[in-house]
Amino acid sequence: MLPLHAKRIVLGVTGSIACYKAADLASKLTQLGAEVDVILTAAAEHFIKPLTFQSVTGRRAYVDQDLWGPEGHVLHVKLGKDADLLLIAPATANTLAKLAAGQADNLLTLTALAATAPLMLAPAMDGGMFDHPATQASLETLRARGAHIHGPVSGHLASGLSGVGRMLEPAELAGHARVALGAGGPLAGRRVLVTAGGTQEPIDPVRVIANRSSGKQGYALAQAALDLGAQVTLISGPTALVPPVGAHLLRVQTAVEMRDAVLQHAAAADMLLMAAAVADFRPSQAADKKIKRAEGVPTVELAANPDILKEVSQQAKKPRMLVGFAAESNDLLANAQGKLASKGLDLIVANDVSAQDAGFEVDTNRVILLSKDGGQEELPLLSKYEVARKVLEKAASLLK
Ligand code: CTP
């Protein structure tokens, strides 16, 4: 199932050059599974055509003319009432002022008055217009009324000047939309702690012992937890992945750093999902200078790293739900059952990393969920996001 399946978003597009980015936003939200109804203001129509939006959403895009069409008397009410989120991106200074004043002189502002869904605004305008006390007052009024305001950000502006006024990038706005739409989900009010990626253990200042974990499954878990309404802390080993919008990210390098970060946050968490591939061993003494070839082949002596999950499960104050991952190349079920018991877990996600289409680096995974109560659920080949959703839905049901 797609993350925004069955979610209805009204995307209001107003007259700013950032309109061209709104098409990308509409496309991204549609690809996430949302039903996106676009409303353009007259000024937006100068920048971009309804057809552009229709082509990416597969749905009709509305313009002011529709106000006076056959359904004109109910269109704004219907669009407003059906919406799970009203997102206006880009939002001009003019539209912000109208919204703050409760004016309703076009289809978009009428719909905004009729809507009961959360209102999200992505302002875009020249820096001076954004700084103007009138615009700031509009934003303050709207914020006080509960609107979520994201951006603008600083950078190059269409005027050729540089300053604060650029619309937040579509990918980030889509992330904020996910957080807003997830609120009230099955994990609302829950604190979820996720670890992701592999740890790196220094040999010397330039070399590390690493592993093949990409962090994809852990990042997908963090995103899925946000989509289900949780407050998420993501403790990540080194990876180039972009963290999900809304997650509180803590970067660590070594297993010991990860242990410290996990222990610091575990007491306040309701759930710990330990997806990280923690190095079991580290060089007992990292050289403080780069080891030179001329010195000959070095011997690297290893020391054991802490077993983070085991340590957490022995704490007096710990998350009510401990979820581990077992990446195995053989005897999958027996090894996973062993870890479920020895690490004091509620749930373990077993995956055979010797398969080509599951495990390290790829975007898909095939796992078996084993629970403390003896439950066993074998999932088909799924995207890592879908695996994450299933794991979290299972964990959420056990938490109840
Ligand atoms: N784990 C941990 N601390 C470690 C090693 C692993 O908390 N030092 C966690 C992993 O994040 C995972 C689970 O324990 O959730 C199982 O990890 P895995 O590497 O499969 O198991 P190990 O205990 O390291 O056993 P082995 O490597 O011998 O299979």
Side-chain angles (χ1 to χ4, degrees), residues 195 274-280 305-310 323-328 339 343:
T195 68
M274 206 53 215
V278 186
D280 287 323
N305 267 331
D307 185 328
I308 303 174
L309 263 180
K310 209 171 196 168
V323 183
F325 287 73
E328 307 291 345
K339 287 174 189 175
K343 294 181 191 248

Side-chain angles (χ1 to χ4, degrees), residues 7-11 76-88 99 111-121 142 145-148 177 180-181 183:
K7 300 286 186 190
R8 293 195 73 151
I9 300 173
V10 169
L11 175 61
H76 56 290
V77 177
K78 183 165 166 36
L79 285 169
K81 290 271 177 275
D82 288 351
D84 296 303
L85 177 69
L86 172 56
L87 168 57
I88 304 184
L99 293 170
T111 305
L113 275 191
T116 48
L119 173 64
M120 188 173 286
L121 301 164
L142 290 162
R145 231 182 259 158
H148 306 264
L181 289 163

Side-chain angles (χ1 to χ4, degrees), residues 9-44:
I9 300 173
V10 169
L11 175 61
V13 179
T14 71
S16 147
I17 180 55
C19 277
Y20 81 92
K21 292 188 186 172
D24 184 25
L25 176 59
S27 169
K28 284 191 161 65
L29 294 171
T30 304
Q31 287 176 53
L32 288 167
E35 292 167 20
V36 184
D37 290 316
V38 176
I39 304 176
L40 292 93
T41 62

